[in-house]
Amino acid sequence: MKLNVPRYLLTGLLVAIGVILALSMGYWNIRPASFTPATDSSSTRPDFYIDNARIQALSKEGKTAYEDGSTHLEQPKLVFYRGEDPKPWLLEADEGLVTENGDRVDLKANVLLQQQLTNQPTRRLSTSALTLFPARDYAETDQDVKIEAARSVTTATGMQLFLNDGRLKLLSTVRGQHEVR
């Protein structure tokens, strides 16, 4: 018995089978999960990390015009865990500059240092500029400083701060205002 199937139906059937085979192979090779973006629920992860960055600008002749190994920061937020106390120092500023060796951080414009100690009110220090030496656990400024703690406000010009043990040395023009209860 011989089937007389029109040629166009046979061709259409073969094309349909080929399309079905191609689609099923494609679905098998491509996982549907790959179409959904991966989400990271951790908001504490840094946006980026740079180690040993060096900027080199070239002149029109292709020779080095200048090199800069420092790192410029916009709105830096630094956390320092120092000494025996697990409570960190939080440092914020509008701008910052980390030197090439990382031994000095210059913070400027709206610099804020704060530390929340156990069973004590938060200590807040604000100034317009601060130089931080991370390896020495030391910070200093020659600018005006405002210190707020509990029910007192102290102002001074110039400060030395030893982050490791929390010692603070005010250099001149020290004035304090304390609220008594």
Side-chain angles (χ1 to χ4, degrees), residues 76-80 88-95 107-115 122-130 132 139 144-148 159 161 163:
K77 294 181 183 187
L78 309 170
V79 180
F80 283 89
W89 281 93
L90 306 174
L91 285 82
E92 297 179 9
D94 289 347
E95 299 176 37
L107 301 169
K108 59 183 177 177
N110 299 317
V111 179
L112 174 67
L113 292 91
Q114 59 184 356
Q115 184 182 38
T122 302
R123 289 193 285 181
R124 296 173 52 93
L125 294 87
S126 55
T127 183
S128 60
L130 182 81
L132 173 70
D144 290 340
V145 179
K146 181 178 181 182
I147 303 164
E148 300 171 87
M159 169 187 76
L161 175 62
L163 296 167

PDB file of all heavy atoms in Angstrom, residues 76-80 88-95 107-115 122-130 132 139 144-148 159 161 163:
ATOM      1  N   PRO A  76      33.519  59.650  51.751  1.00  0.00           N
ATOM      2  CA  PRO A  76      34.020  58.423  52.379  1.00  0.00           C
ATOM      3  C   PRO A  76      33.369  58.164  53.728  1.00  0.00           C
ATOM      4  O   PRO A  76      33.030  59.098  54.457  1.00  0.00           O
ATOM      5  CB  PRO A  76      35.519  58.704  52.541  1.00  0.00           C
ATOM      6  CG  PRO A  76      35.599  60.191  52.636  1.00  0.00           C
ATOM      7  CD  PRO A  76      34.517  60.714  51.736  1.00  0.00           C
ATOM      8  N   LYS A  77      33.179  56.902  54.018  1.00  0.00           N
ATOM      9  CA  LYS A  77      32.686  56.451  55.321  1.00  0.00           C
ATOM     10  C   LYS A  77      33.638  55.367  55.779  1.00  0.00           C
ATOM     11  O   LYS A  77      33.709  54.309  55.170  1.00  0.00           O
ATOM     12  CB  LYS A  77      31.257  55.924  55.217  1.00  0.00           C
ATOM     13  CG  LYS A  77      30.284  57.008  54.859  1.00  0.00           C
ATOM     14  CD  LYS A  77      28.879  56.518  54.784  1.00  0.00           C
ATOM     15  CE  LYS A  77      28.017  57.693  54.348  1.00  0.00           C
ATOM     16  NZ  LYS A  77      26.635  57.451  54.373  1.00  0.00           N
ATOM     17  N   LEU A  78      34.400  55.666  56.825  1.00  0.00           N
ATOM     18  CA  LEU A  78      35.421  54.758  57.307  1.00  0.00           C
ATOM     19  C   LEU A  78      35.029  54.232  58.678  1.00  0.00           C
ATOM     20  O   LEU A  78      34.489  54.968  59.505  1.00  0.00           O
ATOM     21  CB  LEU A  78      36.770  55.474  57.398  1.00  0.00           C
ATOM     22  CG  LEU A  78      37.210  56.236  56.144  1.00  0.00           C
ATOM     23  CD1 LEU A  78      38.426  57.082  56.451  1.00  0.00           C
ATOM     24  CD2 LEU A  78      37.484  55.286  55.010  1.00  0.00           C
ATOM     25  N   VAL A  79      35.300  52.956  58.927  1.00  0.00           N
ATOM     26  CA  VAL A  79      35.018  52.339  60.222  1.00  0.00           C
ATOM     27  C   VAL A  79      36.331  51.798  60.760  1.00  0.00           C
ATOM     28  O   VAL A  79      37.024  51.042  60.080  1.00  0.00           O
ATOM     29  CB  VAL A  79      33.993  51.188  60.077  1.00  0.00           C
ATOM     30  CG1 VAL A  79      33.717  50.552  61.428  1.00  0.00           C
ATOM     31  CG2 VAL A  79      32.706  51.694  59.440  1.00  0.00           C
ATOM     32  N   PHE A  80      36.687  52.193  61.994  1.00  0.00           N
ATOM     33  CA  PHE A  80      37.938  51.764  62.602  1.00  0.00           C
ATOM     34  C   PHE A  80      37.663  50.994  63.881  1.00  0.00           C
ATOM     35  O   PHE A  80      37.099  51.531  64.823  1.00  0.00           O
ATOM     36  CB  PHE A  80      38.838  52.966  62.928  1.00  0.00           C
ATOM     37  CG  PHE A  80      39.510  53.525  61.724  1.00  0.00           C
ATOM     38  CD1 PHE A  80      38.916  54.506  60.977  1.00  0.00           C
ATOM     39  CD2 PHE A  80      40.741  53.033  61.334  1.00  0.00           C
ATOM     40  CE1 PHE A  80      39.521  55.011  59.852  1.00  0.00           C
ATOM     41  CE2 PHE A  80      41.355  53.533  60.212  1.00  0.00           C
ATOM     42  CZ  PHE A  80      40.754  54.521  59.468  1.00  0.00           C
ATOM     43  N   PRO A  88      33.460  50.497  67.284  1.00  0.00           N
ATOM     44  CA  PRO A  88      34.301  51.178  66.293  1.00  0.00           C
ATOM     45  C   PRO A  88      34.134  52.696  66.316  1.00  0.00           C
ATOM     46  O   PRO A  88      33.165  53.230  66.836  1.00  0.00           O
ATOM     47  CB  PRO A  88      33.768  50.630  64.974  1.00  0.00           C
ATOM     48  CG  PRO A  88      32.315  50.390  65.245  1.00  0.00           C
ATOM     49  CD  PRO A  88      32.254  49.927  66.679  1.00  0.00           C
ATOM     50  N   TRP A  89      35.112  53.372  65.728  1.00  0.00           N
ATOM     51  CA  TRP A  89      35.018  54.789  65.414  1.00  0.00           C
ATOM     52  C   TRP A  89      34.458  54.875  64.001  1.00  0.00           C
ATOM     53  O   TRP A  89      34.937  54.192  63.096  1.00  0.00           O
ATOM     54  CB  TRP A  89      36.391  55.447  65.435  1.00  0.00           C
ATOM     55  CG  TRP A  89      36.913  55.762  66.801  1.00  0.00           C
ATOM     56  CD1 TRP A  89      37.707  54.971  67.566  1.00  0.00           C
ATOM     57  CD2 TRP A  89      36.670  56.948  67.551  1.00  0.00           C
ATOM     58  NE1 TRP A  89      37.979  55.583  68.756  1.00  0.00           N
ATOM     59  CE2 TRP A  89      37.353  56.804  68.769  1.00  0.00           C
ATOM     60  CE3 TRP A  89      35.951  58.114  67.320  1.00  0.00           C
ATOM     61  CZ2 TRP A  89      37.335  57.803  69.743  1.00  0.00           C
ATOM     62  CZ3 TRP A  89      35.933  59.083  68.290  1.00  0.00           C
ATOM     63  CH2 TRP A  89      36.626  58.927  69.488  1.00  0.00           C
ATOM     64  N   LEU A  90      33.470  55.722  63.786  1.00  0.00           N
ATOM     65  CA  LEU A  90      32.909  55.954  62.463  1.00  0.00           C
ATOM     66  C   LEU A  90      33.371  57.321  61.991  1.00  0.00           C
ATOM     67  O   LEU A  90      33.205  58.307  62.704  1.00  0.00           O
ATOM     68  CB  LEU A  90      31.387  55.905  62.511  1.00  0.00           C
ATOM     69  CG  LEU A  90      30.771  54.648  63.117  1.00  0.00           C
ATOM     70  CD1 LEU A  90      29.268  54.793  63.229  1.00  0.00           C
ATOM     71  CD2 LEU A  90      31.125  53.435  62.299  1.00  0.00           C
ATOM     72  N   LEU A  91      33.955  57.381  60.807  1.00  0.00           N
ATOM     73  CA  LEU A  91      34.435  58.636  60.245  1.00  0.00           C
ATOM     74  C   LEU A  91      33.725  58.871  58.920  1.00  0.00           C
ATOM     75  O   LEU A  91      33.657  57.980  58.078  1.00  0.00           O
ATOM     76  CB  LEU A  91      35.942  58.587  59.991  1.00  0.00           C
ATOM     77  CG  LEU A  91      36.845  58.685  61.201  1.00  0.00           C
ATOM     78  CD1 LEU A  91      36.976  57.355  61.875  1.00  0.00           C
ATOM     79  CD2 LEU A  91      38.202  59.186  60.781  1.00  0.00           C
ATOM     80  N   GLU A  92      33.218  60.088  58.747  1.00  0.00           N
ATOM     81  CA  GLU A  92      32.555  60.480  57.504  1.00  0.00           C
ATOM     82  C   GLU A  92      33.052  61.848  57.099  1.00  0.00           C
ATOM     83  O   GLU A  92      33.410  62.660  57.950  1.00  0.00           O
ATOM     84  CB  GLU A  92      31.039  60.547  57.680  1.00  0.00           C
ATOM     85  CG  GLU A  92      30.385  59.237  58.026  1.00  0.00           C
ATOM     86  CD  GLU A  92      28.882  59.367  58.211  1.00  0.00           C
ATOM     87  OE1 GLU A  92      28.329  60.446  57.901  1.00  0.00           O
ATOM     88  OE2 GLU A  92      28.274  58.405  58.672  1.00  0.00           O
ATOM     89  N   ALA A  93      33.045  62.114  55.799  1.00  0.00           N
ATOM     90  CA  ALA A  93      33.431  63.425  55.283  1.00  0.00           C
ATOM     91  C   ALA A  93      32.842  63.582  53.881  1.00  0.00           C
ATOM     92  O   ALA A  93      32.361  62.619  53.294  1.00  0.00           O
ATOM     93  CB  ALA A  93      34.949  63.569  55.241  1.00  0.00           C
ATOM     94  N   ASP A  94      32.906  64.805  53.367  1.00  0.00           N
ATOM     95  CA  ASP A  94      32.455  65.035  51.992  1.00  0.00           C
ATOM     96  C   ASP A  94      33.521  64.599  50.986  1.00  0.00           C
ATOM     97  O   ASP A  94      33.197  64.114  49.912  1.00  0.00           O
ATOM     98  CB  ASP A  94      32.116  66.508  51.771  1.00  0.00           C
ATOM     99  CG  ASP A  94      30.843  66.924  52.491  1.00  0.00           C
ATOM    100  OD1 ASP A  94      30.096  66.030  52.958  1.00  0.00           O
ATOM    101  OD2 ASP A  94      30.592  68.139  52.598  1.00  0.00           O
ATOM    102  N   GLU A  95      34.799  64.788  51.345  1.00  0.00           N
ATOM    103  CA  GLU A  95      35.899  64.440  50.447  1.00  0.00           C
ATOM    104  C   GLU A  95      37.042  63.820  51.230  1.00  0.00           C
ATOM    105  O   GLU A  95      37.180  64.064  52.428  1.00  0.00           O
ATOM    106  CB  GLU A  95      36.448  65.696  49.748  1.00  0.00           C
ATOM    107  CG  GLU A  95      35.475  66.436  48.893  1.00  0.00           C
ATOM    108  CD  GLU A  95      36.078  67.705  48.333  1.00  0.00           C
ATOM    109  OE1 GLU A  95      37.284  67.704  47.997  1.00  0.00           O
ATOM    110  OE2 GLU A  95      35.352  68.704  48.241  1.00  0.00           O
ATOM    111  N   LEU A 107      40.942  64.064  55.246  1.00  0.00           N
ATOM    112  CA  LEU A 107      39.501  64.239  55.106  1.00  0.00           C
ATOM    113  C   LEU A 107      39.188  65.719  55.200  1.00  0.00           C
ATOM    114  O   LEU A 107      39.781  66.432  56.005  1.00  0.00           O
ATOM    115  CB  LEU A 107      38.766  63.473  56.204  1.00  0.00           C
ATOM    116  CG  LEU A 107      39.020  61.969  56.246  1.00  0.00           C
ATOM    117  CD1 LEU A 107      38.449  61.375  57.517  1.00  0.00           C
ATOM    118  CD2 LEU A 107      38.420  61.297  55.024  1.00  0.00           C
ATOM    119  N   LYS A 108      38.253  66.186  54.369  1.00  0.00           N
ATOM    120  CA  LYS A 108      37.885  67.593  54.449  1.00  0.00           C
ATOM    121  C   LYS A 108      36.412  67.791  54.128  1.00  0.00           C
ATOM    122  O   LYS A 108      35.796  66.957  53.479  1.00  0.00           O
ATOM    123  CB  LYS A 108      38.760  68.450  53.539  1.00  0.00           C
ATOM    124  CG  LYS A 108      38.723  68.118  52.086  1.00  0.00           C
ATOM    125  CD  LYS A 108      39.684  69.008  51.331  1.00  0.00           C
ATOM    126  CE  LYS A 108      39.714  68.616  49.861  1.00  0.00           C
ATOM    127  NZ  LYS A 108      40.565  69.482  49.104  1.00  0.00           N
ATOM    128  N   ALA A 109      35.889  68.890  54.640  1.00  0.00           N
ATOM    129  CA  ALA A 109      34.491  69.312  54.457  1.00  0.00           C
ATOM    130  C   ALA A 109      33.540  68.401  55.216  1.00  0.00           C
ATOM    131  O   ALA A 109      33.348  67.245  54.865  1.00  0.00           O
ATOM    132  CB  ALA A 109      34.129  69.378  52.980  1.00  0.00           C
ATOM    133  N   ASN A 110      32.972  68.954  56.275  1.00  0.00           N
ATOM    134  CA  ASN A 110      31.967  68.249  57.090  1.00  0.00           C
ATOM    135  C   ASN A 110      32.473  66.913  57.624  1.00  0.00           C
ATOM    136  O   ASN A 110      31.825  65.879  57.468  1.00  0.00           O
ATOM    137  CB  ASN A 110      30.676  68.048  56.298  1.00  0.00           C
ATOM    138  CG  ASN A 110      30.056  69.353  55.875  1.00  0.00           C
ATOM    139  OD1 ASN A 110      30.001  70.300  56.650  1.00  0.00           O
ATOM    140  ND2 ASN A 110      29.600  69.420  54.643  1.00  0.00           N
ATOM    141  N   VAL A 111      33.619  66.945  58.263  1.00  0.00           N
ATOM    142  CA  VAL A 111      34.201  65.720  58.829  1.00  0.00           C
ATOM    143  C   VAL A 111      33.492  65.416  60.147  1.00  0.00           C
ATOM    144  O   VAL A 111      33.337  66.292  60.993  1.00  0.00           O
ATOM    145  CB  VAL A 111      35.720  65.878  59.063  1.00  0.00           C
ATOM    146  CG1 VAL A 111      36.304  64.612  59.666  1.00  0.00           C
ATOM    147  CG2 VAL A 111      36.415  66.237  57.760  1.00  0.00           C
ATOM    148  N   LEU A 112      33.058  64.180  60.295  1.00  0.00           N
ATOM    149  CA  LEU A 112      32.346  63.749  61.495  1.00  0.00           C
ATOM    150  C   LEU A 112      32.959  62.452  61.997  1.00  0.00           C
ATOM    151  O   LEU A 112      33.118  61.505  61.243  1.00  0.00           O
ATOM    152  CB  LEU A 112      30.862  63.533  61.191  1.00  0.00           C
ATOM    153  CG  LEU A 112      30.021  62.945  62.314  1.00  0.00           C
ATOM    154  CD1 LEU A 112      29.904  63.931  63.469  1.00  0.00           C
ATOM    155  CD2 LEU A 112      28.647  62.567  61.793  1.00  0.00           C
ATOM    156  N   LEU A 113      33.335  62.438  63.269  1.00  0.00           N
ATOM    157  CA  LEU A 113      33.811  61.226  63.936  1.00  0.00           C
ATOM    158  C   LEU A 113      32.819  60.921  65.037  1.00  0.00           C
ATOM    159  O   LEU A 113      32.401  61.829  65.760  1.00  0.00           O
ATOM    160  CB  LEU A 113      35.175  61.446  64.594  1.00  0.00           C
ATOM    161  CG  LEU A 113      36.379  61.658  63.718  1.00  0.00           C
ATOM    162  CD1 LEU A 113      36.577  63.118  63.464  1.00  0.00           C
ATOM    163  CD2 LEU A 113      37.571  61.081  64.411  1.00  0.00           C
ATOM    164  N   GLN A 114      32.461  59.681  65.191  1.00  0.00           N
ATOM    165  CA  GLN A 114      31.582  59.334  66.304  1.00  0.00           C
ATOM    166  C   GLN A 114      31.870  57.923  66.782  1.00  0.00           C
ATOM    167  O   GLN A 114      32.314  57.077  66.030  1.00  0.00           O
ATOM    168  CB  GLN A 114      30.114  59.519  65.950  1.00  0.00           C
ATOM    169  CG  GLN A 114      29.601  58.727  64.799  1.00  0.00           C
ATOM    170  CD  GLN A 114      28.150  59.099  64.505  1.00  0.00           C
ATOM    171  OE1 GLN A 114      27.534  59.886  65.196  1.00  0.00           O
ATOM    172  NE2 GLN A 114      27.603  58.516  63.468  1.00  0.00           N
ATOM    173  N   GLN A 115      31.596  57.715  68.070  1.00  0.00           N
ATOM    174  CA  GLN A 115      31.798  56.419  68.685  1.00  0.00           C
ATOM    175  C   GLN A 115      30.709  56.210  69.721  1.00  0.00           C
ATOM    176  O   GLN A 115      30.466  57.076  70.557  1.00  0.00           O
ATOM    177  CB  GLN A 115      33.174  56.315  69.336  1.00  0.00           C
ATOM    178  CG  GLN A 115      33.460  54.938  69.911  1.00  0.00           C
ATOM    179  CD  GLN A 115      34.818  54.868  70.586  1.00  0.00           C
ATOM    180  OE1 GLN A 115      35.244  55.793  71.239  1.00  0.00           O
ATOM    181  NE2 GLN A 115      35.488  53.745  70.402  1.00  0.00           N
ATOM    182  N   THR A 122      26.657  58.661  72.820  1.00  0.00           N
ATOM    183  CA  THR A 122      27.525  58.735  71.644  1.00  0.00           C
ATOM    184  C   THR A 122      28.397  59.977  71.708  1.00  0.00           C
ATOM    185  O   THR A 122      27.921  61.067  72.013  1.00  0.00           O
ATOM    186  CB  THR A 122      26.662  58.785  70.363  1.00  0.00           C
ATOM    187  OG1 THR A 122      25.845  57.630  70.324  1.00  0.00           O
ATOM    188  CG2 THR A 122      27.528  58.844  69.127  1.00  0.00           C
ATOM    189  N   ARG A 123      29.676  59.783  71.409  1.00  0.00           N
ATOM    190  CA  ARG A 123      30.604  60.910  71.300  1.00  0.00           C
ATOM    191  C   ARG A 123      30.654  61.329  69.835  1.00  0.00           C
ATOM    192  O   ARG A 123      30.858  60.499  68.956  1.00  0.00           O
ATOM    193  CB  ARG A 123      32.012  60.508  71.741  1.00  0.00           C
ATOM    194  CG  ARG A 123      32.131  60.285  73.211  1.00  0.00           C
ATOM    195  CD  ARG A 123      33.574  60.200  73.620  1.00  0.00           C
ATOM    196  NE  ARG A 123      34.143  58.919  73.219  1.00  0.00           N
ATOM    197  CZ  ARG A 123      35.392  58.557  73.475  1.00  0.00           C
ATOM    198  NH1 ARG A 123      36.189  59.366  74.114  1.00  0.00           N
ATOM    199  NH2 ARG A 123      35.825  57.380  73.108  1.00  0.00           N
ATOM    200  N   ARG A 124      30.440  62.627  69.582  1.00  0.00           N
ATOM    201  CA  ARG A 124      30.470  63.152  68.219  1.00  0.00           C
ATOM    202  C   ARG A 124      31.485  64.286  68.143  1.00  0.00           C
ATOM    203  O   ARG A 124      31.399  65.228  68.926  1.00  0.00           O
ATOM    204  CB  ARG A 124      29.105  63.666  67.798  1.00  0.00           C
ATOM    205  CG  ARG A 124      28.035  62.608  67.715  1.00  0.00           C
ATOM    206  CD  ARG A 124      26.663  63.215  67.456  1.00  0.00           C
ATOM    207  NE  ARG A 124      26.634  64.112  66.334  1.00  0.00           N
ATOM    208  CZ  ARG A 124      26.313  63.765  65.094  1.00  0.00           C
ATOM    209  NH1 ARG A 124      25.985  62.522  64.835  1.00  0.00           N
ATOM    210  NH2 ARG A 124      26.304  64.641  64.119  1.00  0.00           N
ATOM    211  N   LEU A 125      32.409  64.186  67.197  1.00  0.00           N
ATOM    212  CA  LEU A 125      33.391  65.236  66.971  1.00  0.00           C
ATOM    213  C   LEU A 125      33.220  65.701  65.532  1.00  0.00           C
ATOM    214  O   LEU A 125      33.179  64.878  64.617  1.00  0.00           O
ATOM    215  CB  LEU A 125      34.815  64.705  67.163  1.00  0.00           C
ATOM    216  CG  LEU A 125      35.219  64.272  68.565  1.00  0.00           C
ATOM    217  CD1 LEU A 125      34.846  62.834  68.812  1.00  0.00           C
ATOM    218  CD2 LEU A 125      36.693  64.456  68.738  1.00  0.00           C
ATOM    219  N   SER A 126      33.117  67.007  65.329  1.00  0.00           N
ATOM    220  CA  SER A 126      32.981  67.531  63.977  1.00  0.00           C
ATOM    221  C   SER A 126      34.005  68.634  63.745  1.00  0.00           C
ATOM    222  O   SER A 126      34.323  69.412  64.645  1.00  0.00           O
ATOM    223  CB  SER A 126      31.561  68.034  63.723  1.00  0.00           C
ATOM    224  OG  SER A 126      31.189  68.982  64.679  1.00  0.00           O
ATOM    225  N   THR A 127      34.521  68.682  62.518  1.00  0.00           N
ATOM    226  CA  THR A 127      35.524  69.662  62.128  1.00  0.00           C
ATOM    227  C   THR A 127      35.478  69.826  60.610  1.00  0.00           C
ATOM    228  O   THR A 127      34.797  69.064  59.912  1.00  0.00           O
ATOM    229  CB  THR A 127      36.933  69.239  62.605  1.00  0.00           C
ATOM    230  OG1 THR A 127      37.872  70.273  62.262  1.00  0.00           O
ATOM    231  CG2 THR A 127      37.371  67.930  61.991  1.00  0.00           C
ATOM    232  N   SER A 128      36.227  70.782  60.087  1.00  0.00           N
ATOM    233  CA  SER A 128      36.227  71.001  58.641  1.00  0.00           C
ATOM    234  C   SER A 128      37.330  70.218  57.937  1.00  0.00           C
ATOM    235  O   SER A 128      37.262  70.019  56.723  1.00  0.00           O
ATOM    236  CB  SER A 128      36.376  72.487  58.334  1.00  0.00           C
ATOM    237  OG  SER A 128      37.590  72.972  58.874  1.00  0.00           O
ATOM    238  N   ALA A 129      38.333  69.766  58.665  1.00  0.00           N
ATOM    239  CA  ALA A 129      39.424  69.001  58.058  1.00  0.00           C
ATOM    240  C   ALA A 129      40.082  68.132  59.123  1.00  0.00           C
ATOM    241  O   ALA A 129      40.178  68.529  60.286  1.00  0.00           O
ATOM    242  CB  ALA A 129      40.459  69.936  57.438  1.00  0.00           C
ATOM    243  N   LEU A 130      40.524  66.946  58.709  1.00  0.00           N
ATOM    244  CA  LEU A 130      41.158  66.019  59.645  1.00  0.00           C
ATOM    245  C   LEU A 130      42.170  65.180  58.884  1.00  0.00           C
ATOM    246  O   LEU A 130      41.899  64.735  57.766  1.00  0.00           O
ATOM    247  CB  LEU A 130      40.102  65.103  60.279  1.00  0.00           C
ATOM    248  CG  LEU A 130      40.622  64.109  61.313  1.00  0.00           C
ATOM    249  CD1 LEU A 130      40.796  64.813  62.655  1.00  0.00           C
ATOM    250  CD2 LEU A 130      39.656  62.954  61.465  1.00  0.00           C
ATOM    251  N   LEU A 132      44.229  61.684  59.150  1.00  0.00           N
ATOM    252  CA  LEU A 132      44.185  60.411  59.848  1.00  0.00           C
ATOM    253  C   LEU A 132      45.409  59.588  59.459  1.00  0.00           C
ATOM    254  O   LEU A 132      45.757  59.500  58.285  1.00  0.00           O
ATOM    255  CB  LEU A 132      42.902  59.668  59.464  1.00  0.00           C
ATOM    256  CG  LEU A 132      42.730  58.249  59.956  1.00  0.00           C
ATOM    257  CD1 LEU A 132      42.508  58.238  61.460  1.00  0.00           C
ATOM    258  CD2 LEU A 132      41.551  57.608  59.244  1.00  0.00           C
ATOM    259  N   ALA A 139      44.764  60.681  64.794  1.00  0.00           N
ATOM    260  CA  ALA A 139      44.186  61.688  63.910  1.00  0.00           C
ATOM    261  C   ALA A 139      44.446  63.062  64.507  1.00  0.00           C
ATOM    262  O   ALA A 139      44.532  63.211  65.734  1.00  0.00           O
ATOM    263  CB  ALA A 139      42.687  61.449  63.741  1.00  0.00           C
ATOM    264  N   ASP A 144      38.967  74.304  63.715  1.00  0.00           N
ATOM    265  CA  ASP A 144      38.027  74.330  64.835  1.00  0.00           C
ATOM    266  C   ASP A 144      37.347  72.972  64.972  1.00  0.00           C
ATOM    267  O   ASP A 144      37.040  72.312  63.972  1.00  0.00           O
ATOM    268  CB  ASP A 144      36.970  75.415  64.622  1.00  0.00           C
ATOM    269  CG  ASP A 144      37.550  76.819  64.739  1.00  0.00           C
ATOM    270  OD1 ASP A 144      38.633  76.953  65.340  1.00  0.00           O
ATOM    271  OD2 ASP A 144      36.916  77.757  64.233  1.00  0.00           O
ATOM    272  N   VAL A 145      37.109  72.565  66.212  1.00  0.00           N
ATOM    273  CA  VAL A 145      36.517  71.272  66.524  1.00  0.00           C
ATOM    274  C   VAL A 145      35.330  71.484  67.454  1.00  0.00           C
ATOM    275  O   VAL A 145      35.397  72.324  68.363  1.00  0.00           O
ATOM    276  CB  VAL A 145      37.544  70.346  67.224  1.00  0.00           C
ATOM    277  CG1 VAL A 145      36.925  69.009  67.560  1.00  0.00           C
ATOM    278  CG2 VAL A 145      38.774  70.169  66.384  1.00  0.00           C
ATOM    279  N   LYS A 146      34.276  70.721  67.233  1.00  0.00           N
ATOM    280  CA  LYS A 146      33.118  70.740  68.125  1.00  0.00           C
ATOM    281  C   LYS A 146      32.898  69.318  68.618  1.00  0.00           C
ATOM    282  O   LYS A 146      32.798  68.390  67.822  1.00  0.00           O
ATOM    283  CB  LYS A 146      31.875  71.237  67.388  1.00  0.00           C
ATOM    284  CG  LYS A 146      30.639  71.304  68.245  1.00  0.00           C
ATOM    285  CD  LYS A 146      29.463  71.846  67.434  1.00  0.00           C
ATOM    286  CE  LYS A 146      28.214  71.951  68.264  1.00  0.00           C
ATOM    287  NZ  LYS A 146      27.079  72.436  67.452  1.00  0.00           N
ATOM    288  N   ILE A 147      32.826  69.167  69.949  1.00  0.00           N
ATOM    289  CA  ILE A 147      32.671  67.846  70.556  1.00  0.00           C
ATOM    290  C   ILE A 147      31.353  67.833  71.324  1.00  0.00           C
ATOM    291  O   ILE A 147      31.131  68.668  72.197  1.00  0.00           O
ATOM    292  CB  ILE A 147      33.836  67.532  71.511  1.00  0.00           C
ATOM    293  CG1 ILE A 147      35.156  67.645  70.752  1.00  0.00           C
ATOM    294  CG2 ILE A 147      33.672  66.153  72.125  1.00  0.00           C
ATOM    295  CD1 ILE A 147      36.358  67.744  71.643  1.00  0.00           C
ATOM    296  N   GLU A 148      30.499  66.874  70.973  1.00  0.00           N
ATOM    297  CA  GLU A 148      29.210  66.740  71.638  1.00  0.00           C
ATOM    298  C   GLU A 148      29.160  65.381  72.325  1.00  0.00           C
ATOM    299  O   GLU A 148      29.395  64.360  71.693  1.00  0.00           O
ATOM    300  CB  GLU A 148      28.076  66.844  70.630  1.00  0.00           C
ATOM    301  CG  GLU A 148      28.043  68.164  69.890  1.00  0.00           C
ATOM    302  CD  GLU A 148      27.059  68.153  68.754  1.00  0.00           C
ATOM    303  OE1 GLU A 148      25.877  68.445  68.997  1.00  0.00           O
ATOM    304  OE2 GLU A 148      27.480  67.839  67.628  1.00  0.00           O
ATOM    305  N   MET A 159      43.246  69.698  67.471  1.00  0.00           N
ATOM    306  CA  MET A 159      42.960  68.505  68.259  1.00  0.00           C
ATOM    307  C   MET A 159      43.910  67.382  67.850  1.00  0.00           C
ATOM    308  O   MET A 159      44.308  67.271  66.704  1.00  0.00           O
ATOM    309  CB  MET A 159      41.515  68.067  67.983  1.00  0.00           C
ATOM    310  CG  MET A 159      41.147  66.710  68.529  1.00  0.00           C
ATOM    311  SD  MET A 159      39.500  66.168  67.988  1.00  0.00           S
ATOM    312  CE  MET A 159      39.815  65.686  66.299  1.00  0.00           C
ATOM    313  N   LEU A 161      43.833  63.169  68.382  1.00  0.00           N
ATOM    314  CA  LEU A 161      42.967  62.081  68.829  1.00  0.00           C
ATOM    315  C   LEU A 161      43.715  60.762  68.691  1.00  0.00           C
ATOM    316  O   LEU A 161      44.217  60.431  67.613  1.00  0.00           O
ATOM    317  CB  LEU A 161      41.686  62.043  67.989  1.00  0.00           C
ATOM    318  CG  LEU A 161      40.725  60.885  68.245  1.00  0.00           C
ATOM    319  CD1 LEU A 161      40.202  60.919  69.676  1.00  0.00           C
ATOM    320  CD2 LEU A 161      39.576  60.926  67.253  1.00  0.00           C
ATOM    321  N   LEU A 163      43.058  57.117  68.617  1.00  0.00           N
ATOM    322  CA  LEU A 163      41.918  56.228  68.421  1.00  0.00           C
ATOM    323  C   LEU A 163      42.024  54.946  69.238  1.00  0.00           C
ATOM    324  O   LEU A 163      41.010  54.383  69.631  1.00  0.00           O
ATOM    325  CB  LEU A 163      41.770  55.875  66.937  1.00  0.00           C
ATOM    326  CG  LEU A 163      41.441  57.053  66.019  1.00  0.00           C
ATOM    327  CD1 LEU A 163      41.635  56.653  64.572  1.00  0.00           C
ATOM    328  CD2 LEU A 163      40.038  57.539  66.254  1.00  0.00           C
TER     329      LEU A 163
END
